C-alpha cells in the first residue's frame, strides 16, 4: 500500500469536487467495505436464530456479539499503528478473507465455545481490514467528505445486506446457512490484491506530509463514536426480537424491520457526507446527535407493527448521519497517523459499543427487548453533549 499523503488543511467545508478517477477508486473501497462489514452484520442477523434454533439465552446470544466486538475492537489501534509504520498493502485483503471464513463456519460447528471462537476470529479479520482500508480510502478521497462517505457507506451497505440476504437463508436452512457467505470474502480478497499490485506498479510510494496532531479533540471524537456505537449495536441486536416478542410479528417482518433500520443507515451515511461538505463536519455531527432521541422514541411509542417501521428507517438515518464525518474528522485531527485514526474511528470506537451488549442482554432477560431499547434512549443526549465540544480541525 502506498504511503498516505496527509490530508489537506481542513475547513468547515471541503474544496473542489472529486474527479471521475477518485469515484472509481472509492467505489472499489466502498464495495470492499460492504463485503467486510457484511460479516459484522451477519452476527446480529443470525443471533435470533441461535436463540430460536439452539435455545441460547439472551445473555449467551449477546455473548456472540461480544465475541465479534472483542475480536474487532481490541486489536484495531495496534493494527492502525502498524499500518502507519509498515507497508502492509495485503492486510485489507487478508482481513476480509478471515472475516468471511470465521463467520461462515460459525453456523456449522455444534458447541457454543466453537461458535464463539469462530466469531472472535471473524472479528479479528475485521480488525485487520479497517485501518489499512481506511488509510487507502482517505488517500483516494482527498479532502472530500462526500467521497469518503462512499467508503463509509460501504460498511452501512454491508450491515444492510446482511439481514436482507441472511434472513431467507436462515429461515429455510437454519444457522448452517452462514456457510453460503464464505465466497464473497474470497472474491473480494482476490480483487483487493489485484488492485494493490496495480497501484504499486503504477506509482512509487509517496511520503506522508507532516502536521500537528490534536489528541484532545480526537479523544472527544472517539467518545462521540463510542456512545453512537452503543446505540447502534443495541438497536441492531434487539430490533428483530422487539418485533417478534413485543409486537408479536412474524420472523419475516422482524427481518424487514432490521433491514429498514440498516437501509436508513446507508442513506444517513451518504447524506452526512454531503451535509459536511456544505455545513461543516462538526455541525453535521451535532445535527445527527440531536435527531436520534426523537426517532428512537417514535419507534418505541408508535402503535402497531407497520407504522414503527418508518421510525426504524429514521433511527438508522439519524444514527449514521455523522458516521463518515467522524472517520474523516478523526484523520484530520491526526494528520500524521491516518491508519491509527481509522483504526480507532472505524474500528475500536465503533466496535466497543458491542461490549455493552451483555448488559443490554440482562436488561432484555428481565424486561424484554423493549426494555433494552428503552434504556438506549439515555444515550443520544450524551452524544449530543460531546458533539458540542468538538472544534473544527486546525488549518
Amino acid at each position: 500500500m502506498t504511503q498516505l499523503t496527509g490530508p489537506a488543511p481542513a475547513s468547515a467545508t471541503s474544496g473542489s469536487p472529486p474527479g471521475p478517477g477518485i469515484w472509481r477508486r472509492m467505489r472499489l473501497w466502498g464495495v470492499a467495505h460492504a463485503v467486510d462489514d457484511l460479516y459484522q452484520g451477519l452476527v446480529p442477523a443470525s443471533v435470533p436464530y441461535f436463540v430460536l434454533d439452539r435455545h441460547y439465552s439472551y445473555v449467551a446470544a449477546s455473548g456472540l456479539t461480544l465475541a465479534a466486538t472483542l475480536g474487532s475492537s481490541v486489536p484495531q489501534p495496534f493494527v492502525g499503528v502498524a499500518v502507519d509504520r509498515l507497508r502492509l498493502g495485503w492486510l485489507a485483503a487478508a482481513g476480509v478473507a478471515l472475516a468471511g471464513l470465521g463467520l461462515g463456519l460459525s453456523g456449522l460447528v455444534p458447541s457454543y465455545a466453537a461458535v464463539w471462537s469462530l466469531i472472535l476470529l471473524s472479528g479479528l479479520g475485521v480488525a485487520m481490514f479497517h485501518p489499512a482500508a481506511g488509510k487507502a480510502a482517505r488517500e483516494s478521497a482527498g479532502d472530500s467528505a462526500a467521497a469518503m462517505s462512499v467508503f463509509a457507506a460501504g460498511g452501512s451497505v454491508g450491515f444492510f445486506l446482511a439481514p436482507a440476504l441472511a434472513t431467507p437463508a436462515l429461515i429455510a436452512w437454519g444457522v448452517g446457512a452462514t456457510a453460503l457467505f464464505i465466497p464473497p470474502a474470497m472474491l473480494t480478497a482476490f480483487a483487493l490484491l489485484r488492485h494493490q499490485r496495480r497501484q504499486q506498479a503504477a506509482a512509487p510510494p509517496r511520503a506522508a506530509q507532516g502536521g500537528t496532531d490534536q489528541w484532545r479533540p480526537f479523544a472527544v471524537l472517539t467518545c462521540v463514536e463510542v456512545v453512537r456505537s452503543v446505540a447502534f449495536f443495541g438497536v441492531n441486536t434487539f430490533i428483530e426480537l422487539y418485533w417478534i416478542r413485543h409486537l408479536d410479528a412474524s420472523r419475516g417482518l422482524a427481518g424487514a424491520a432490521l433491514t429498514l433500520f440498516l437501509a436508513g443507515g446507508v442513506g444517513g451515511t451518504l447524506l452526512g457526507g454531503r451535509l459536511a461538505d456544505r455545513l461543516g463536519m462538526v455541525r453535521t455531527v451535532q445535527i445527527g446527535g440531536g435527531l436520534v432521541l426523537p426517532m428512537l422514541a417514535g419507534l418505541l411509542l408508535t402503535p402497531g407493527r407497520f407504522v414503527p417501521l418508518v421510525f426504524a428507517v429514521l433511527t438508522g438515518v439519524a444514527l449514521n448521519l455523522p458516521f463518515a464525518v467522524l472517520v474523516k474528522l478523526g484523520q484530520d485531527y491526526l494528520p500524521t497517523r491516518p491508519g491509527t485514526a481509522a483504526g480507532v474511528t472505524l474500528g475500536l470506537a465503533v466496535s466497543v459499543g458491542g461490549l455493552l451488549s451483555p448488559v443490554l442482554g440482562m436488561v432484555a432477560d428481565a424486561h424484554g427487548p423493549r426494555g433494552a431499547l428503552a434504556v438506549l434512549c439515555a444515550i443520544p443526549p450524551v452524544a449530543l453533549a460531546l458533539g458540542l465540544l468538538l472544534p473544527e480541525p486546525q488549518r
Side-chain angles (χ1 to χ4, degrees):
M1 182 177 296
T2 57
Q3 296 293 320
L4 175 67
T5 300
S11 59
T13 58
S14 296
S16 58
I22 291 178
W23 290 119
R24 284 194 296 270
R25 292 191 294 273
M26 295 311 297
R27 282 195 292 268
L28 171 64
W29 285 112
V31 169
H33 197 187
V35 174
D36 180 79
D37 281 16
L38 171 71
Y39 302 105
Q40 282 191 299
L42 282 173
V43 176
S46 62
V47 159
Y49 298 91
F50 280 104
V51 172
L52 298 169
D53 296 350
R54 297 192 179 181
H55 309 292
Y56 290 170
S57 69
Y58 286 134
V59 174
S62 297
L64 299 182
T65 303
L66 176 64
T69 301
L70 287 174
S72 62
S73 63
V74 175
Q76 287 210 46
F78 304 101
V79 175
V81 172
V83 166
D84 285 334
R85 295 182 178 180
L86 305 173
R87 291 177 56 81
L88 300 174
W90 51 269
L91 198 62
V96 72
L98 182 59
L101 281 173
L103 195 286
L105 295 175
S106 67
L108 302 180
V109 296
S111 70
Y112 180 82
V115 173
W116 195 93
S117 298
L118 284 168
I119 291 179
L120 180 72
L121 286 176
S122 179
L124 179 59
V126 172
M128 294 164 60
F129 173 84
H130 276 140
K135 180 179 178 180
R138 178 59 195 272
E139 181 179 20
S140 296
D143 202 42
S144 170
M148 197 63 184
S149 73
V150 173
F151 169 71
S156 300
V157 169
F159 275 102
F160 162 73
L161 289 177
L165 297 176
T167 298
L170 291 167
I171 290 175
W173 297 297
V175 292
T178 56
L180 297 174
F181 298 96
I182 295 176
M186 302 299 104
L187 292 173
T188 302
F190 176 72
L192 288 179
L193 288 174
R194 288 190 62 189
H195 172 72
Q196 177 59 28
R197 292 193 188 100
R198 290 173 180 172
Q199 290 293 102
Q200 289 177 340
R206 290 181 292 172
Q209 291 181 353
T212 302
D213 293 329
Q214 299 175 263
W215 286 102
R216 185 173 298 176
F218 183 78
V220 175
L221 177 141
T222 301
C223 292
V224 173
E225 184 60 86
V226 166
V227 295
R228 189 203 71 87
S229 72
V230 169
F232 177 82
F233 272 96
V235 177
N236 203 30
T237 300
F238 291 104
I239 190 170
E240 279 191 283
L241 293 170
Y242 171 70
W243 251 261
I244 293 172
R245 298 289 170 85
H246 183 76
L247 299 182
D248 197 26
S250 66
R251 294 187 184 186
L253 186 59
L258 177 58
T259 301
L260 289 171
F261 167 69
L262 297 173
V266 176
T269 303
L270 293 170
L271 177 61
R274 300 287 182 178
L275 286 178
D277 280 344
R278 289 164 173 77
L279 303 178
M281 292 184 289
V282 171
R283 186 173 298 177
T284 302
V285 172
Q286 295 166 350
I287 291 172
L291 291 176
V292 175
L293 181 58
M295 300 303 106
L296 185 57
L299 186 149
L300 293 174
L301 299 176
T302 305
R305 301 174 186 171
F306 296 97
V307 177
L309 294 174
V310 175
F311 287 96
V313 176
L314 295 176
T315 301
V317 171
L319 277 171
N320 283 271
L321 196 70
F323 180 41
V325 181
L326 290 169
V327 175
K328 181 180 182 297
L329 190 56
Q331 291 178 322
D332 285 349
Y333 285 146
L334 301 184
T336 70
R337 294 174 173 85
T340 302
V344 173
T345 55
L346 277 172
L348 176 63
V350 171
S351 301
V352 79
L355 292 173
L356 293 180
S357 292
V359 177
L360 292 173
M362 288 187 286
V363 174
D365 279 336
H367 303 286
R370 190 175 192 273
L373 294 176
V375 168
L376 293 177
C377 290
I379 300 297
V382 178
L384 177 59
L386 289 169
L388 294 174
L389 301 177
L390 291 175
E392 290 290 343
Q394 291 180 356
R395 291 182 179 274

